Amino acid sequence: MFDSYLKLDNFRFLKWAVALCVACIALYVLHDPIDAPNGGTWLGYTLGGLTGGICIWLAWLGVRKRQFHAASQVRVWLSAHVYLGLSLLVIGSLHSGFQFAWNVHTLTYVLMVLVVVSGVYGIVAYARYPAKITRNRRGMDSEGLLREVLDIDSDLLKLADNIGGQTQEVVSRSVQHTRIGGTWRDQVLGRYDDTAGDALSQVLDDSTDASDYDSQTSKPNDTMMFMASSVLKLDDPKRGEQLRRLTSLLARKQDLVLRLNRDVTHRARMRVWLFFHIPLTVALLAALLVHVIAVFFYW
Ligand code: HEM
Ligand code: HEM
């Protein structure tokens, strides 16, 4: 997708956008107004009209997008959207004559820059995250991962029931507190509790000599190696087998939950910019209206 819309028709819209910027820069350089260049000259109005028109056209994508039926239509619009959107940085700056101050005109400009910046994050995110998502899922979809976690949970509860005691308590608490996703901040920042990992360490502490093992610093693989060697030392082979199975299920669940939460984070980071891009677009259109009314009012 990334390649196909940015490189569309041998960079057709990039060429158009560059040609438009070069033409505007040439007019700006050749233009010789009485005062310093500003939005109120004939060129200023022309560039202002162009900037405002492009903004409205770009915002129209939100409406048009929902009416498209073919993916090829989306690609053409998106390609034009990206390159014309970037050209606003040049055309909008020339329009203002670089006259910035603490007023609604500069606010309109700042909002425009913020929409463009959030759009740039968007294309980077769309280029980066799909491959990460595929790699992390390792051939499974998120429903498949979730289903396996639920299956493991029910196996864990049955097994912990048979073992009883502290282990049963630890495992059922861990199953109850398993959390996939969270608030939008947790999702974007990737902050999650590792309940399966905690349970693994506790089961380990309860069934072995905890003084031999530092659960805070050990990695899951070290944990598994240590556990395996400890379990082999148990006198009761049936209990040893149950614990071996329990730890291997906990380790598998730890891996699956980690991947599921990472999947949530990848998808959140891929979409989060739209929560800026769209509201900032609305704010930009409102500020643009106020800007145009203000300049005509004081004219
Ligand atoms: C997103 C689009 C636009 C942005 C970001 C923008 C931004 C700006 C900025 C930063 C200035 C300089 C303000 C100053 O001199 O203190 C300016 C001036 C001006 N703009 Fe725009 N503008 C946009 C669209 C328009 C449109 C559509 C029109 C009208 C057709 C327009 C008309 C003017 C005029 C007449 C001035 C000169 C005001 C003066 O010198 O006091 N602008 N604009
Ligand atoms: C002032 C300039 C811009 C405005 C007003 C604007 C506005 C919009 C709007 C309204 C949408 C539709 C969102 C939706 O309804 O889902 C959109 C989508 C998008 N914009 Fe912009 N945009 C601007 C500039 C840019 C720039 C410069 C880029 C990239 C460099 C960009 C990248 C995107 C992308 C990739 C989408 C597609 C999102 C999707 O389909 O999931 N935009 N933009």
Side-chain angles (χ1 to χ4, degrees):
M1 174 77 177
F2 174 70
D3 270 7
S4 64
Y5 74 80
L6 286 187
K7 294 181 184 167
L8 189 95
D9 285 351
N10 203 12
F11 296 100
R12 178 166 104 214
F13 292 108
L14 172 63
K15 289 173 190 162
W16 285 17
V18 171
L20 190 61
C21 289
V22 170
C24 292
I25 292 171
L27 284 172
Y28 186 85
V29 171
L30 294 173
H31 183 51
D32 190 17
I34 301 162
D35 295 328
N38 67 82
T41 63
W42 70 263
L43 182 64
Y45 270 100
T46 309
L47 295 176
L50 198 58
T51 313
I54 293 176
C55 279
I56 293 167
W57 186 82
L58 294 174
W60 186 239
L61 176 66
V63 180
R64 284 290 292 151
K65 191 178 126 175
R66 284 156 186 85
Q67 299 165 351
F68 292 140
H69 299 297
S72 58
Q73 277 178 301
V74 181
R75 275 186 15 239
V76 176
W77 267 72
L78 208 50
S79 188
H81 183 93
V82 167
Y83 292 120
L84 279 180
L86 287 172
S87 74
L88 284 179
L89 291 179
V90 176
I91 308 169
S93 304
L94 296 177
H95 157 67
S96 72
F98 303 92
Q99 312 267 347
F100 300 118
W102 292 102
N103 54 32
V104 72
H105 317 310
T106 301
L107 175 68
T108 313
Y109 181 85
V110 170
L111 286 169
M112 185 190 78
V113 173
L114 290 178
V115 176
V116 173
V117 169
S118 61
V120 171
Y121 173 89
I123 43 170
V124 173
Y126 280 175
R128 204 183 141 129
Y129 285 105
K132 281 187 168 223
I133 290 173
T134 311
R135 251 197 325 272
N136 177 55
R137 286 183 184 171
R138 289 184 218 149
M140 290 171 87
D141 58 9
S142 43
E143 282 79 28
L145 287 166
L146 195 60
R147 225 173 300 118
E148 195 176 336
V149 168
L150 294 176
D151 289 348
I152 290 180
D153 272 352
S154 90
D155 288 352
L156 275 173
L157 288 173
K158 273 187 226 142
L159 202 54
D161 249 7
N162 288 338
I163 297 171
Q166 185 100 16
T167 303
Q168 184 189 16
E169 223 176 88
V170 167
V171 169
S172 72
R173 204 177 328 121
S174 145
V175 168
Q176 273 170 28
H177 290 122
T178 304
R179 202 163 61 104
I180 313 287
T183 64
W184 73 267
R185 270 186 81 185
D186 293 341
Q187 293 186 21
V188 172
L189 297 176
R191 281 195 311 220
Y192 303 106
D193 297 334
D194 181 11
T195 49
D198 292 345
L200 188 61
S201 312
Q202 283 194 46
V203 168
L204 182 66
D205 284 348
D206 295 341
S207 55
T208 59
D209 182 358
S211 60
D212 289 354
Y213 173 77
D214 180 359
S215 63
Q216 294 299 310
T217 54
S218 290
K219 297 187 194 81
N221 276 348
D222 299 343
T223 312
M224 288 306 294
M225 290 302 289
F226 180 80
M227 187 65 206
S229 62
S230 306
V231 162
L232 287 173
K233 289 182 209 152
L234 284 173
D235 299 336
D236 180 350
K238 188 174 167 230
R239 190 172 155 75
E241 179 50 36
Q242 284 175 330
L243 281 173
R244 232 192 317 267
R245 190 158 152 62
L246 190 78
T247 51
S248 93
L249 281 176
L250 279 172
R252 173 73 183 148
K253 179 177 166 183
Q254 184 187 24
D255 174 58
L256 288 169
V257 170
L258 189 87
R259 277 163 54 204
L260 260 173
N261 277 329
R262 212 185 281 142
D263 188 61
V264 171
T265 294
H266 286 157
R267 282 187 292 153
R269 287 184 186 167
M270 196 167 83
R271 308 295 303 174
V272 68
W273 66 281
L274 281 170
F275 290 96
F276 296 93
H277 202 64
I278 299 173
L280 282 169
T281 295
V282 175
L284 167 63
L285 295 182
L288 177 61
L289 187 68
V290 176
H291 167 60
V292 172
I293 291 173
V295 291
F296 281 118
F297 187 75
Y298 287 112
W299 190 46

